[in-house]
Amino acid sequence: MKQKCRSRNLLLALFWAASTSLGFSQDFTISGTVNDNTGQPLPGANVVVKGTTNGTQTDFDGNFTLNAPSNGTISVSYIGFVTQEVAINNQSSVTVTLAEDASQLDEVVVIGYGSQKKSDLTGAVATVGSKDIEKYTYNDASQALQGRMAGVNVQAQGGAPGAGSVITIRGTGTFSNNGPLYVIDGMITGSMNTVNPGDIASVSVLKDASATAIYGSRAANGVVIITTKKGKKGKVSIDLDTSYGYQKAINQIDWADATQYAAIVNRANDADGVPRYPANDTEFDPNYSSNLYDDSFRTASISNTNLRVSGGGKNSVYSLSLNQFDQDGVIKYSDFKRTTVRANFGLDKGKFNLQSTIGLTRTVDNPNPYFNKERNLLPTIRLRNDAGEWSSDDRADRGITTAYGAFYGPGTIANELAIAALEDRTNTLNTVISNVSGSYELFDGLTYKLNLGMESSARNNYTFSPDEQVIYNGSNKATSELRETNTNRLNTLVEHTLNYKKSFNKHNVDVLAGFTDQKNNSRSLGIVALNAINNISVAGAFSSENLQSAPSQDITSTIQSYFGRLNYTFDDRYLLTASLRRDGSSLFKEDLRWGTFPSMAIGWNVSNEPFLEDFDAVSNIKLRAGYGEIGSNNVDPYAIDPSINLFSTYILGDTQTRQSGYAVTRGVNRNIFWETTKTTNVGLEFTTLNNKLNVTMDYFIKKSEDILVNIQLPLYSGFKNTIPFNRGNIENKGFEFLATYADQIGDLNFNVTANFSTLDNVVTSLGGQAPIVGGGFTSNGLRGTRTDIGQPIGSFYGYVTDGIYQTDAEATAANDQEGNPRAGDLKFKDFNGDGVDPEDRRYLGSSIPNFEYGFNLTADYRGLDLSLFFNGVAGNKILNSTKYRGYFDFNGNYLADAANAWTPTNTNTNVPRNTQVDPGFNRRMSDFYLESGAYFRLRNAQIGYTLPDDVLEKIRIPKVRLYVSATNLFTISDYSGYYPEVGRNSRGGTSQFNNGVDEGNYPTPITYQLGLQVSF
């Protein structure tokens, strides 16, 4: 009996224990959200019940739902962030914020033709993610890289709507205008200006030859790889980000008003001994005046809207986005519109994988190219006449019969604001970039991939000038003009690759081999016509005799390449990367067509060595070293093909009669070949402070050899054109530093990133060619730069000023061989004591910054988030050509400061005397025009607030965030022009020989925006 009782009691105890256990460990549904430390959702984060294989991934909004024990623990992980464990404690809903892992060792970095763990990376690669790009509104995606990457220089080409940027990676290594190579979702192209910044998932910049050599040709200037956003498996996600704001010019130049202008010109006429002009003297009337610049500026609107729908099923993902960007210029009669549609699709079925992307972009640019040009309207002339019509002449309304030049003064006077208003200027570009790639795993580890890409564009560049007279040139001839060009481009790409990946024991091998074929064609047809019938602005409105020309061209070039790469890792300690690419270009003749470009790099994960196993102060130490050679075919198509005139004549025979025949009219050098850039790179990476601080440092030497230099042959050769020869050498060397610190203090999460780079650029050879002169900054032919051995490309070159002559005797004693100075003229230094002559010119500095830096701070606290981004440059100069116009050019207005010019009673000034004759040749190129280009600015600032979860649950919307952002909020600079970022805008195109020459560049605006982000 007792035995039965004991058995029954034991069974009851076991049942009770089991029931209790089941009661405490009963599964229930827990939901939550996973965010980063800025409050942004993390799609694809892994959420696993600790100690089990039960888990899920967050959707595009960072949300998840999971069955888990009420007393269990979930582990949340995401690449690049510290894994966090959260006790459930019977909670049905949790919000998890992951802190960034400063080590980032498991971060996957996009490289050429694939990706690689950062811990296995041996090359110099810089990356920027979507969270650093999508916070702000950019009219050009490349501006999102500015200041964020050491060694990557991004210069905006002024502040005009839709203005592009010039990217230079580790200094310029060529005399052409070629920039880096761009790869958008596998499609090789020439720019990234067709990509909506909001579509970008990541940007990788390959900086050294060991990283870029896999791309061979055109990669000598670096490679920029853009990966756009893809869909995530899970429910459909809808994301809306819209903003609206306004812009205004940061700085305006103080130009003379009518009264000041009249006084300046009268003083100049008196000094020159010529009569005063009536408009400035006896007939001066302030009622007939204008302020061209005040009337040109405005407060302009800017708006940007991104809409994205994404999702996926068991084997597929998709993403569809739409963007509309509208920007009015701060200068009247200028605006820019961009519409972008992008669709990404992915299919993953067993061993087969398919990726497809297509992007359609339409831009409509209406520029105002006349702002701040030479020979603009005098302030003693109204912008409009009594009838309210645009005008450049008040004489009729004033009853004046004196000739125009005799009344106002000399010169062709243009009412540039009127021209901008009356002229129809539209540059429309429709672009399609598409890419389809399919891969199949042939057997374990070996995958074949076919990549097909296409870029097609159609551009219409249209300008119609009506016959309204807004320029007075003495003849008063009104002529309408039509200029229109249609250009179609087609770029196709076919790539075959085999990739073998295998791990065995402590060895990891990744071998890539491939073939690529790319073809580019550009075809354009245009028309130039005068005197339209009834002022109709289409080509058919012009009579045949008024059709001036029909410029056209058809250009085709091709590149074929074979390439291979080996990535090898032993025991996660020793790393090796070796690549070889052989390129053939149609731009060179057959026996010089092919170039071979090798590279090799090694790495050592020092921290994985056993002797550092217990060393915790510094971790994740990696040393890198690499060397590689890259080719560049920086030459115009058909440069090796001579031009023949089929209708030439020549005097022949005893009778010396003119005979018809053929003649070669353009000389060529058929023996040109690949430029070669050789780069040596040494790098160090490590983390410290409990993996909160991550540091990367690189030192590089980049030597570019056999650079194509355009050389002028002697005239007896019979050719006037310059001919390219492989004779130039350039060396760039520098140091790069990047540090990131991430931490969490209570509910405060913050991340600080700082970078800087130094650069020394020098030309080491010109192959016997004379120094290259460029940098034209006036209509009378003055040039400001000179490229020579031992100097940076496009160095400023001219005279050195030494104050102002105070007496005529002092000016005469200077023995100035280029001028006849008097008291009040600029004094130029005589270095060799034989009088002031061209031998006294000196190199005056460079437009290339020798120090660049950037600083980024992000933080969030209980729904509030803050982002501040600063950047700056130092060590560079700017040629401010506005000083030429404002002090020396008599065909337009003067700077107000010209009123402070030297006079016998105003000698304490740095402004030379007022003169229109300028016998002292004050206007010659000198350091008078040069100013420091250094600046420090708050490039971007944004503060946002995300509604709390309890509010979102009530309105049933996963995410609502409001934000306020500003661009160029403040800039510290001593530059007196509109803005110290002037780019390469200059006469003759955007050549690097014109870098840093400011011809009154379009003003850069400060922008304020209010935005809303909503996820459904």
Side-chain angles (χ1 to χ4, degrees):
M1 182 69 180
K2 291 182 179 179
Q3 181 66 33
K4 290 181 179 180
C5 289
R6 282 196 295 268
S7 298
R8 185 176 64 182
N9 290 339
L10 179 58
L11 290 172
L12 289 172
L14 291 173
F15 178 76
W16 178 85
S19 300
T20 304
S21 176
L22 289 171
F24 280 97
S25 63
Q26 182 178 4
D27 283 2
F28 76 111
T29 300
I30 179 174
S31 62
T33 304
V34 180
N35 299 322
D36 65 11
N37 54 6
T38 65
Q40 299 298 310
L42 292 176
N46 294 310
V47 184
V48 181
V49 178
K50 186 179 180 180
T52 74
T53 58
N54 177 28
T56 186
Q57 284 190 334
T58 57
D59 62 17
F60 183 74
D61 300 316
N63 299 322
F64 70 90
T65 301
L66 182 67
N67 290 327
S70 60
N71 63 344
T73 299
I74 58 174
S75 175
V76 185
S77 62
Y78 191 82
I79 292 177
F81 291 80
V82 178
T83 299
Q84 185 172 340
E85 294 184 352
V86 179
I88 298 176
N89 293 331
N90 295 309
Q91 301 177 87
S92 61
S93 178
V94 296
T95 298
V96 182
T97 300
L98 296 184
E100 289 190 5
D101 182 358
S103 65
Q104 297 281 295
L105 279 183
D106 292 327
E107 178 186 350
V108 175
V109 178
V110 177
I111 59 175
Y113 300 99
S115 59
Q116 193 174 20
K117 288 196 308 180
K118 188 173 182 180
S119 58
D120 294 339
L121 200 62
T122 57
V125 180
T127 61
V128 171
S130 61
K131 66 178 182 179
D132 292 322
I133 297 175
E134 61 191 13
K135 288 181 180 178
Y136 307 105
T137 299
Y138 304 98
N139 62 15
D140 176 25
S142 60
Q143 294 177 11
L145 309 183
Q146 189 175 55
R148 298 185 182 275
M149 298 176 172
V152 180
N153 175 272
V154 181
Q155 288 190 75
Q157 295 294 91
S165 301
V166 175
I167 297 180
T168 306
I169 300 173
R170 289 186 164 182
T172 298
T174 180
F175 292 144
S176 75
N177 294 332
N178 282 16
L181 184 71
Y182 296 88
V183 183
I184 303 175
D185 286 333
M187 178 60 195
I188 297 176
T189 182
S191 72
M192 59 188 294
N193 56 15
T194 60
V195 179
N196 166 32
D199 285 337
I200 296 176
S202 68
V203 178
S204 293
V205 177
L206 314 184
K207 298 189 289 186
D208 72 334
S210 69
T212 62
I214 193 66
Y215 284 107
S217 65
R218 295 180 296 170
N221 301 306
V223 179
V224 179
I225 302 177
I226 300 100
T227 303
T228 60
K229 294 177 180 177
K230 307 296 190 294
K232 300 287 185 180
K233 295 180 180 180
K235 66 179 184 180
V236 177
S237 298
I238 303 175
D239 297 278
L240 174 67
D241 186 345
T242 183
S243 63
Y244 182 83
Y246 71 92
Q247 311 160 91
K248 57 187 301 184
I250 293 175
N251 183 39
Q252 293 191 28
I253 295 175
D254 188 14
W255 292 94
D257 58 26
T259 301
Q260 292 171 319
Y261 170 82
I264 294 168
V265 176
N266 288 338
R267 186 184 302 141
N269 293 155
D270 293 345
D272 295 337
V274 299
R276 295 183 175 186
Y277 300 107
N280 306 320
D281 188 28
T282 57
E283 298 292 334
F284 176 75
D285 187 343
N287 293 316
Y288 290 89
S289 63
S290 62
N291 193 320
L292 179 65
Y293 294 97
D294 281 357
D295 285 345
S296 295
F297 283 94
R298 67 179 176 183
T299 299
S301 65
I302 182 172
S303 64
N304 187 54
T305 299
N306 283 296
L307 178 64
R308 184 166 179 257
V309 180
S310 64
K314 181 180 179 181
N315 300 110
S316 63
V317 293
Y318 63 88
S319 173
L320 177 65
S321 65
L322 171 67
N323 170 253
Q324 181 64 44
F325 175 81
D326 293 340
Q327 182 183 15
D328 290 334
V330 294
I331 303 301
K332 293 178 180 177
Y333 311 113
S334 62
D335 60 79
F336 176 82
K337 293 179 174 61
R338 182 187 64 226
T339 304
T340 304
V341 177
R342 178 170 294 277
N344 288 338
F345 174 78
L347 175 65
D348 190 353
K349 184 70 172 178
K351 295 184 178 182
F352 177 73
N353 181 275
L354 177 69
Q355 297 290 330
S356 174
T357 178
I358 181 170
L360 297 87
T361 304
R362 177 180 174 85
T363 61
V364 181
D365 184 17
N366 297 302
N368 180 350
Y370 301 104
F371 174 76
N372 206 30
K373 299 302 179 185
E374 293 178 72
R375 294 177 171 81
N376 55 356
L377 193 69
L378 301 178
T380 51
I381 304 173
R382 296 175 302 173
L383 294 174
R384 295 179 183 269
N385 58 24
D386 287 345
E389 301 166 329
W390 292 107
S391 175
S392 60
D393 184 0
D394 288 325
R395 289 178 302 155
D397 291 338
R398 299 179 63 176
I400 302 294
T401 58
T402 307
Y404 190 95
F407 183 70
Y408 290 113
T412 299
I413 307 301
N415 185 336
E416 61 190 33
L417 190 60
I419 300 173
L422 296 171
E423 205 174 62
D424 186 0
R425 303 166 308 279
T426 306
N427 193 332
T428 304
L429 176 64
N430 298 310
T431 305
V432 178
I433 297 182
S434 61
N435 187 72
V436 178
S437 63
S439 63
Y440 185 80
E441 189 175 9
L442 301 175
F443 57 84
D444 184 27
L446 181 64
T447 301
Y448 166 75
K449 182 178 181 180
L450 172 64
N451 180 45
L452 303 175
M454 182 197 74
E455 178 183 18
S456 177
S457 67
R459 182 188 295 274
N460 175 263
N461 197 339
Y462 172 86
T463 301
F464 178 74
S465 302
D467 59 8
E468 284 92 340
Q469 178 61 40
V470 290
I471 302 176
Y472 191 88
N473 60 8
S475 64
N476 202 31
K477 179 181 178 181
T479 302
S480 61
E481 180 181 73
L482 171 70
R483 292 180 177 270
E484 184 172 8
T485 302
N486 289 298
T487 303
N488 294 292
R489 289 188 172 91
L490 179 63
N491 175 11
T492 59
L493 175 70
V494 179
E495 291 179 333
H496 303 270
T497 57
L498 280 173
N499 189 202
Y500 180 72
K501 293 183 179 181
K502 195 67 175 178
S503 298
F504 52 95
N505 297 327
K506 296 182 179 181
H507 306 275
N508 290 284
V509 177
D510 184 347
V511 181
L512 176 75
F515 167 78
T516 179
D517 182 280
Q518 187 169 14
K519 183 176 181 180
N520 292 273
N521 175 260
S522 174
R523 183 179 177 87
S524 64
L525 178 63
I527 186 172
V528 178
L530 301 176
N531 291 326
I533 300 171
N534 296 324
N535 216 22
I536 300 175
S537 59
V538 295
F542 294 83
S543 58
S544 58
E545 60 269 19
N546 288 334
L547 298 179
Q548 302 298 300
S549 61
S552 64
Q553 63 178 7
D554 190 343
I555 298 173
T556 299
S557 63
T558 60
I559 291 178
Q560 289 186 348
S561 307
Y562 301 89
F563 56 89
R565 179 178 62 205
L566 167 66
N567 287 324
Y568 171 73
T569 303
F570 175 74
D571 198 22
D572 287 330
R573 289 185 291 167
Y574 308 117
L575 316 172
L576 170 67
T577 299
S579 67
L580 182 69
R581 179 155 177 149
R582 184 164 172 79
D583 288 314
S585 172
S586 65
L587 302 182
F588 305 126
K589 72 177 185 178
E590 189 170 353
D591 57 337
L592 296 173
R593 184 161 294 168
W594 291 90
T596 302
F597 310 107
S599 76
M600 179 175 288
I602 57 175
W604 180 22
N605 282 322
V606 184
S607 297
N608 291 340
E609 294 289 351
F611 60 81
L612 286 179
E613 184 176 352
D614 298 324
F615 183 70
D616 298 327
V618 180
S619 60
N620 304 324
I621 306 171
K622 181 168 70 173
L623 292 171
R624 296 178 281 104
Y627 170 83
E629 299 180 4
I630 305 295
S632 189
N633 55 345
N634 292 331
V635 67
D636 293 332
Y638 311 120
I640 61 174
D641 300 318
S643 297
I644 299 178
N645 187 341
L646 303 179
F647 307 102
S648 296
T649 60
Y650 201 81
I651 299 175
L652 296 173
D654 295 336
T655 59
Q656 292 290 285
T657 57
R658 189 174 294 274
Q659 303 293 326
S660 298
Y662 307 149
V664 177
T665 57
R666 185 175 71 95
V668 299
N669 172 21
R670 291 185 52 80
N671 295 317
I672 57 177
F673 52 89
W674 291 90
E675 299 179 349
T676 302
T677 296
K678 302 176 180 179
T679 302
T680 302
N681 190 92
V682 179
L684 169 65
E685 303 172 17
F686 65 87
T687 61
T688 186
L689 303 179
N690 295 321
N691 287 336
K692 296 177 181 178
L693 177 63
N694 181 22
V695 177
T696 301
M697 294 181 285
D698 281 277
Y699 177 77
F700 69 90
I701 300 176
K702 173 180 166 183
K703 296 182 178 180
S704 300
E705 301 175 352
D706 300 321
I707 295 172
L708 291 162
V709 182
N710 288 323
I711 295 178
Q712 177 68 61
L713 296 182
L715 292 179
Y716 60 72
S717 66
F719 302 116
K720 295 187 296 182
N721 63 293
T722 58
I723 300 174
F725 287 82
N726 292 92
R727 293 187 179 179
N729 294 335
I730 301 172
E731 181 178 276
N732 290 278
K733 57 184 177 181
F735 177 75
E736 301 167 355
F737 177 87
L738 172 68
T740 300
Y741 182 83
D743 203 355
Q744 182 175 357
I745 304 174
D747 292 331
L748 175 64
N749 300 281
F750 64 92
N751 180 291
V752 180
T753 300
N755 74 81
F756 72 83
S757 60
T758 66
L759 179 67
D760 181 18
N761 171 275
V762 62
V763 177
T764 57
S765 173
L766 287 175
Q769 162 71 358
I772 302 171
V773 178
F777 63 96
T778 76
S779 60
N780 65 11
L782 290 178
R783 296 188 176 189
T785 70
R786 179 174 166 133
T787 299
D788 200 359
I789 297 173
Q791 299 295 327
I793 296 175
S795 295
F796 296 117
Y797 183 76
Y799 292 90
V800 178
T801 57
D802 190 22
I804 292 176
Y805 293 116
Q806 298 299 318
T807 65
D808 289 341
E810 182 187 14
T812 301
N815 187 24
D816 190 336
Q817 298 178 29
E818 287 203 299
N820 183 24
R822 292 170 41 191
D825 286 328
L826 288 175
K827 181 193 300 185
F828 301 103
K829 282 191 176 181
D830 177 11
F831 288 97
N832 51 18
D834 62 350
V836 179
D837 58 26
E839 297 300 318
D840 292 310
R841 292 177 296 175
R842 294 292 185 270
Y843 289 98
L844 305 174
S846 170
S847 62
I848 302 174
N850 55 32
F851 187 77
E852 296 187 60
Y853 55 95
F855 179 79
N856 191 53
L857 168 66
T858 60
D860 69 272
Y861 179 79
R862 294 183 179 180
L864 285 172
D865 61 88
L866 173 69
S867 178
L868 301 174
F869 175 62
F870 304 84
N871 81 300
V873 301
N876 60 310
K877 296 287 184 67
I878 297 175
L879 194 162
N880 186 357
S881 70
T882 299
K883 289 187 173 181
Y884 166 82
R885 294 184 48 217
Y887 294 123
F888 307 130
D889 187 8
F890 54 81
N891 286 305
N893 197 6
Y894 288 90
L895 291 170
D897 191 44
N900 187 36
W902 185 96
T903 67
T905 58
N906 182 40
T907 59
N908 187 24
T909 179
N910 59 357
V911 180
R913 69 188 181 97
N914 298 139
T915 172
Q916 292 190 330
V917 177
D918 191 20
F921 199 21
N922 291 301
R923 64 183 181 275
R924 76 186 76 175
M925 174 58 196
S926 71
D927 60 7
F928 179 80
Y929 301 111
L930 299 183
E931 300 183 39
S932 170
Y935 66 81
F936 171 72
R937 67 181 175 187
L938 177 51
R939 179 72 170 90
N940 295 310
Q942 186 178 106
I943 184 170
Y945 177 70
T946 301
L947 297 185
D949 292 341
D950 55 347
V951 176
L952 296 175
E953 289 177 2
K954 292 179 181 179
I955 62 178
R956 297 184 179 181
I957 296 178
K959 175 186 175 182
V960 176
R961 178 176 178 265
L962 296 169
Y963 62 90
V964 177
S965 66
T967 303
N968 298 321
L969 195 57
F970 72 78
T971 302
I972 299 174
S973 171
D974 292 331
Y975 184 58
S976 64
Y978 284 114
Y979 200 69
E981 189 177 25
V982 301
R984 293 180 179 176
N985 290 309
S986 187
R987 299 172 193 271
T990 57
S991 165
Q992 59 184 297
F993 302 127
N994 301 331
N995 193 48
V997 177
D998 181 7
E999 291 191 277
N1001 210 357
Y1002 195 108
T1004 296
I1006 182 173
T1007 304
Y1008 301 94
Q1009 288 177 278
L1010 176 65
L1012 170 68
Q1013 293 175 341
V1014 181
S1015 296
F1016 302 95

